């Protein structure tokens, strides 16, 4: 089986899962920031999150956390595929940022949005490449290209006029506060613009006690205008007075101007790299192979509609079942393929395409399988399946490349169709089992690799005409869950799970799907 590859700047997958320490250096190249830290640590800290109040809900969606593999900073989504942040976030010594070159980031990096930004131990969205400012306008700024587009957040509008002295800008960041080492929510404060230089500006707190701290590098300075908010500057350095463990007595900071970079930003973000949008799979896409053994991605738009299909592979002969899952936890969806001759392979996704398959065994011919994080504490998704005797087992995936020994979790499952989805919306993936009479029974998980002891409720009847039934996520918007099901006539419908144990109204999304082998999706 071959996976289509496209030209790109290669970036290695992030397998560190956010275990690198929080940065303890300074960001930018302005004035030395020698600060004494609690516990005897001494050094200069990066200008990273404000010590102000938590940012109001729904007001800072475009503000994201950037995990550079060195530490965490703050960035702003300026298009569906691009984030702007400080260049110094990507160098071990922030003062070395002028030597940063365009291309793959120095270390595997990712961007965290929404609830995932509360911690670095999430897959996030992988960073494909970084673009530095033109030499004539060089400064502490970088554009970060994402491996997958983010269509659920409205990008920030970039200002085209320079900040003015005494103007107020609102900075929002994920950095340290006066009391928290690693806050789980962004904080915000107003700052007043002081002097303006060709590439930077100085800012001071407009509110007593506010400061820009470690974790706020790249944090956006937002200007309020009659036509809406504008991104006017990003944080570069700070003296960090008022930040946790800082002994500085003032809270002065410098920010990077971006108003004169509008052409560079517009040109860089206008064209989506082919590798960023063609082969990589989103959780709301439908993936399927046809009789010609081609593998397709049907892009979902988050509004229960499918876009024009794209070929992402060929030679998919003898496919019995397929699944899409972030198998190794690097933030990029992978493909698990079961063949009719018993092979089970994983094609790991990367920014350069899909890699050569990893074998998970060759004795899977008589198995019925589903893929998902059955045990909630597991780092990676695993496999549930039953063999010819009807014995149901769970196999964990501890390393992202291998399977753990099988754990027996049931028997008598022969002939049942399996779908893994959180049907009762308690945060644990459950099993829907379809029998030959077309009844759907719910087997609820306890999140610890077992079932809740209860009478199995029937949650559907008349499903005997369904020939394929697979879970899908974010298809009706962020956080949505449902099932894509094909009937004997080849009609493809989306069945939303609108409330615990409740089906919504099905929506037809396609026809003539009888020749297709449809892949199941797994939440990241």
């Amino acid at each position: 089986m071959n996976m289509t590859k496209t030209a790109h700047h290669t970036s290695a997958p992030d397998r560190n899962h956010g275990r690198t320490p929080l940065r303890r250096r300074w960001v930018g190249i302005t004035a030395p920031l020698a600060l004494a830290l609690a516990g005897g640590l001494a050094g200069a800290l990066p200008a990273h999150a404000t010590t102000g109040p938590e940012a109001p809900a729904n007001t800072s969606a475009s503000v994201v956390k950037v995990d550079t593999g060195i530490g965490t900073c703050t960035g702003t989504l300026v298009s569906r595929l691009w984030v702007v942040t400080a260049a110094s976030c990507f160098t071990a010594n922030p003062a070395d940022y002028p030597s940063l070159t365009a291309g793959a980031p120095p270390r595997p990096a990712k961007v965290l949005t929404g609830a995932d930004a509360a911690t670095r131990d999430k897959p996030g969205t992988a960073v494909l490449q970084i673009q530095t400012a033109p030499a004539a306008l060089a400064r502490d700024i970088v554009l970060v290209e994402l491996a997958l587009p983010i269509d659920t957040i409205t990008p920030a509008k970039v200002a085209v006029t320079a900040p003015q002295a005494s103007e107020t800008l609102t900075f929002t960041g994920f950095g340290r506060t006066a009391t928290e080492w690693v806050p789980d929510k962004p904080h915000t404060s107003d700052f007043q613009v002081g002097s303006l230089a060709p590439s930077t500006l100085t800012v001071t707190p407009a509110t007593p006690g506010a400061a820009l701290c470690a974790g706020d590098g790249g944090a956006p300075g937002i200007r309020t205008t009659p036509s809406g908010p504008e991104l006017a500057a990003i944080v570069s350095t700070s003296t960090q007075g008022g930040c946790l463990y800082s002994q500085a007595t003032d809270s002065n900071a410098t920010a990077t101007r971006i108003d004169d970079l509008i052409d560079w930003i517009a040109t860089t973000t206008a064209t989506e790299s082919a590798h960023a949008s063609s082969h990589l799979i989103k959780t709301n896409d439908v993936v399927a192979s046809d009789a010609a053994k081609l593998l397709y991605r049907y892009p979902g738009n988050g509004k229960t509609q499918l876009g024009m299909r794209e070929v992402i592979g060929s030679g998919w002969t003898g496919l019995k079942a397929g699944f899409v899952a972030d198998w190794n936890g690097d933030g990029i969806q992978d493909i698990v393929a079961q063949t009719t001759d018993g092979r089970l392979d994983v094609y790991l996704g990367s920014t350069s395409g899909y890699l050569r398959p990893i074998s998970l065994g060759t004795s899977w011919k008589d198995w019925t399988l589903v893929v998902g994080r059955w045990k909630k504490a597991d780092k990676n998704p695993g496999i549930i399946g039953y063999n010819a005797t009807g014995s149901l087992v769970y196999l964990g995936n501890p390393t992202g490349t291998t399977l753990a020994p099988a754990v027996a979790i049931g028997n008598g499952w022969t002939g049942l169709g399996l779908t893994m989805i959180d049907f009762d919306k308690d945060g644990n993936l459950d099993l829907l089992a379809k029998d030959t009479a077309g009844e759907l029974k719910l087997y609820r998980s306890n999140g610890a690799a077992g079932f809740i002891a209860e009478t199995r409720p029937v949650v559907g009847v008349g499903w005997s005409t369904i020939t394929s039934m697979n879970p899908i996520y974010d298809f009706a918007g962020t956080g949505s869950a449902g099932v894509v099901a094909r009937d004997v006539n080849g009609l493809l419908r989306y069945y939303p799970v609108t409330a615990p144990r409740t089906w919504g109204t099905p929506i037809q999304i396609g026809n003539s799907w009888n020749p297709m082998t449809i892949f199941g999706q797994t939440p990241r």
Side-chain angles (χ1 to χ4, degrees):
M1 299 179 186
N2 299 317
M3 305 298 300
T4 299
K5 293 185 178 181
T6 48
H8 73 302
H9 295 286
T10 303
S11 171
D14 177 4
R15 292 185 173 86
N16 292 325
H17 305 290
R19 294 193 182 96
T20 48
L22 184 68
R23 303 190 67 188
R24 295 183 176 89
R25 309 168 190 73
W26 59 287
V27 171
I29 58 174
T30 55
L33 306 174
L35 301 175
L37 299 183
L41 280 175
L45 293 175
H48 294 7
T50 72
T51 60
E54 288 183 6
N58 303 319
T59 61
S60 57
S62 63
V63 181
V64 301
K65 183 179 288 185
V66 183
D67 185 341
T68 66
I70 300 170
T72 57
C73 285
T74 302
T76 308
L77 192 72
V78 291
S79 83
R80 64 197 297 261
L81 270 173
W82 292 88
V83 166
V84 64
T85 188
S88 51
C89 293
F90 286 87
T91 54
N93 177 3
D96 292 339
Y97 81 82
S99 63
L100 193 66
T101 58
R107 299 187 187 183
K110 60 186 176 183
V111 166
L112 302 163
T113 63
D116 284 355
T119 174
R120 291 172 65 199
D121 195 21
K122 292 286 185 178
T125 302
V127 171
L128 284 178
Q129 62 158 322
I130 55 177
Q131 288 292 332
T132 54
L137 298 170
R139 64 198 63 176
D140 189 8
I141 191 171
V142 70
L143 282 168
V144 173
E145 186 183 21
L146 306 178
L148 294 171
I150 298 175
D151 294 318
T152 56
I153 296 174
T154 301
K157 178 183 178 181
V158 179
V160 296
T161 58
Q164 301 298 310
S166 300
E167 180 180 356
T168 298
L169 300 179
T170 302
F171 286 89
T172 301
F174 282 97
R176 199 173 302 169
T177 70
T179 58
E180 296 176 280
W181 182 262
V182 185
D184 60 2
K185 294 181 180 179
H187 290 71
T188 186
S189 284
D190 290 340
F191 287 75
Q192 190 174 63
V193 176
S195 60
L196 194 70
S199 61
T200 61
L201 58 134
T202 62
V203 293
T204 56
T207 304
L212 293 161
C213 306
D216 286 328
I222 301 296
R223 163 194 292 153
T224 300
T225 75
S227 60
E230 295 179 348
L231 175 62
I234 65 170
V235 174
S236 179
T237 66
S238 171
T239 54
Q240 303 193 62
C243 304
L244 185 63
Y245 301 140
S246 170
Q247 295 181 2
T249 57
D250 64 73
S251 303
N252 298 326
T254 63
T256 299
R257 285 181 54 182
I258 64 173
D259 54 276
D260 59 334
L261 298 178
I262 186 66
D263 291 340
W264 168 65
I265 293 173
T267 301
T268 304
T269 62
T271 303
E272 297 182 0
S273 297
H275 60 280
S277 57
S278 61
H279 70 275
L280 293 174
I281 300 168
K282 298 184 296 182
T283 53
N284 61 3
D285 295 340
V286 172
V287 176
S289 67
D290 65 3
K293 313 309 177 187
L294 296 176
L295 189 67
Y296 296 96
R297 179 178 80 93
Y298 295 76
N301 66 357
K303 300 178 181 179
T304 68
Q305 296 170 332
L306 294 175
M308 185 72 69
R309 72 181 186 180
E310 301 166 345
V311 177
I312 60 173
S314 61
W316 284 70
T317 304
L319 185 66
K320 180 177 181 179
F323 309 91
V324 175
D326 185 3
W327 188 256
N328 62 349
D330 66 353
I332 298 177
Q333 297 288 80
D334 310 309
I335 290 177
V336 180
Q338 179 190 15
T339 59
T340 53
D341 62 0
R343 290 181 292 115
L344 187 64
D345 297 319
V346 176
Y347 295 79
L348 296 180
S350 77
T351 54
S352 61
Y354 285 88
L355 307 179
R356 297 173 70 89
I358 297 171
S359 175
L360 297 179
T362 57
S363 303
W364 296 91
K365 180 179 180 180
D366 298 322
W367 288 79
T368 297
L369 305 177
V370 287
V371 173
R373 192 173 282 100
W374 178 246
K375 188 176 181 181
K376 194 171 183 178
D378 284 356
K379 180 174 64 175
N380 302 313
I383 289 175
I384 282 184
Y386 65 83
N387 57 16
T389 67
S391 298
L392 190 71
V393 299
Y394 174 59
L395 301 96
N397 165 26
T399 66
T401 58
T402 58
L403 288 174
V407 177
I409 58 174
N411 51 57
W413 288 74
T414 303
L416 297 178
L418 301 182
T419 302
M420 189 187 299
I421 189 170
D422 182 9
F423 196 71
D424 62 357
K425 292 186 176 291
D426 66 350
N428 301 318
L429 293 179
D430 309 308
L431 287 184
L432 295 177
K434 181 173 76 76
D435 64 20
T436 55
E439 277 194 346
L440 284 182
K441 288 187 177 179
L442 172 63
Y443 290 75
R444 293 199 300 145
S445 165
N446 61 12
F451 294 105
I452 293 175
E454 62 181 2
T455 301
R456 310 303 173 192
V458 175
V459 296
V461 295
W463 289 74
S464 56
T465 60
I466 299 300
T467 58
S468 175
M469 183 175 172
N470 293 285
I472 193 168
Y473 298 87
D474 302 326
F475 192 70
T478 303
S480 63
V483 167
V484 170
R486 179 190 61 207
D487 67 13
V488 292
N489 297 313
L491 296 180
L492 193 68
R493 296 182 178 89
Y494 171 65
Y495 292 79
V497 180
T498 55
R501 309 193 196 193
T502 304
W503 295 107
T505 303
I507 301 168
Q508 184 175 328
I509 58 174
N511 53 52
S512 302
W513 280 71
N514 270 335
M516 310 298 287
T517 299
I518 304 170
F519 287 39
Q521 284 274 17
T522 299
R524 286 163 59 184

